[in-house]
DNA sequence: TTGAATGCAAAACCTTTGCAAGCTC
DNA sequence: GAGCTTGCAAAGGTTTTGCATTCAA
């Protein structure tokens, strides 16, 4: 298993390392992102805050996302739409995806041999893994016709 | 080894399947993309054509990229910059990446156990693999300090 | 108190679209 | 010749920035 990472912790650590402040807004964004289901983009976060009457500017979200990214709290998740998509990095319940390039179907998979090899590779290169992105593209059973 | 795929072939096949035409412009874009080194975005393709005095509109490039994507000739490659990044899908000489979220350093790796497991998974799910994207994010040796 | 962060709105960018003219098949 | 494509330029979206004000440490 990948070492479970404590998101709030790694975010605060990053801020501290850079002499940045843990503001109210950054905390709210961190919280929201953590309690969110799967994919999201900058605007959907903004919309949620707005719906709850929390006044957080789009710019603040756009400025915070890269920090969460670097802290490893979230990861980019290539959407098929426009703009960037992200998702929470979850060590537990981790799985990867097969994506049908024709119909868009997504199959989730988890393979411990692969996870194990990843860790081995990281040791070999002295690389400290925070999260990963593994996607297989091709044609699902139905679309092979 | 992943079955080497013939890019021009799969592109033409896709076009035929959809009753689309193999125009001069689409051919030029296919060629350029195939002979290009690694990463690129729509605008860098446009710039190259312009430099060579080939008059191909940005819009044409933007309209062709999704086709090349679906044909499996290219794949999305999350850049750290804005906009989409792509890279040629190469079955031969394939390798994956470790990306340092702090300094941006990229370490290339290839692991045949992982490749083998991928193929096994695809058989299991009756998924016909065209290409994949596997990236490990974290801190490189230097940035762990 | 002090440097950083936020909000707002404008600016900058990236992508998509409508339409007339030009090409494949 | 018919219908799909291209080019151009304008429209549509998304992300970034400048600056005065507010805030965390």
């Amino acid at each position: 298993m990948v070492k479970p990472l404590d998101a709030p912790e790694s975010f605060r650590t990053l801020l501290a390392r850079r002499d940045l402040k843990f503001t109210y807004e950054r905390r709210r964004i961190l919280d929201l992102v953590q309690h969110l289901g799967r994919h999201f983009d900058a605007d959907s976060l903004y919309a949620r805050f707005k719906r709850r009457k929390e006044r957080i500017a789009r710019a603040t979200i756009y400025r915070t996302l890269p920090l969460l990214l670097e802290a490893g709290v979230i990861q980019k998740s290539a959407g098929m739409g426009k703009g960037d998509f992200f998702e929470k990095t979850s060590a537990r319940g981790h799985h990867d995806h097969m994506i049908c390039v024709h119909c868009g179907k997504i199959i989730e998979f988890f393979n411990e041999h692969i996870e194990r090899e990843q860790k081995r590779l990281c040791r070999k290169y002295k690389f400290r893994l925070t999260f990963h992105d593994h996607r297989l593209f091709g044609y699902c059973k139905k679309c092979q016709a």
Side-chain angles (χ1 to χ4, degrees), chain A residues 42-60:
Chain A
D43 202 60
S44 70
L45 295 186
Y46 176 71
R48 273 176 189 266
F49 283 124
K50 194 166 187 180
R51 210 176 305 145
R52 300 184 194 166
K53 305 271 186 273
E54 288 202 55
R55 221 154 294 282
I56 292 187
R58 268 204 182 73
T60 300

Side-chain angles (χ1 to χ4, degrees), chain A residues 4 7 10 21 25 67 81 90 100 108 115 121 128 132 142:
Chain A
S10 55
K21 291 165 184 171
E25 289 80 3
L67 296 172
S90 44
C100 180
E108 301 185 338
E115 302 291 324
L121 283 163
R128 185 154 66 77
H132 73 259
K142 283 187 179 172

Side-chain angles (χ1 to χ4, degrees), chain A residues 60-108:
Chain A
T60 300
I61 292 172
Y62 277 107
R63 287 189 275 234
T64 301
L65 253 15
L67 296 172
L68 290 171
L69 209 48
E70 184 174 341
V73 175
I74 60 175
Q75 59 184 284
K76 277 201 183 182
S77 160
M80 290 268 121
K82 29 190 131 180
D84 286 329
F85 264 78
F86 305 87
E87 65 185 328
K88 170 175 61 175
T89 303
S90 44
R92 295 180 303 132
H94 166 74
H95 58 254
D96 297 297
H97 306 274
M98 291 183 187
I99 301 159
C100 180
V101 297
H102 190 255
C103 72
K105 177 177 181 178
I106 293 182
I107 299 169
E108 301 185 338

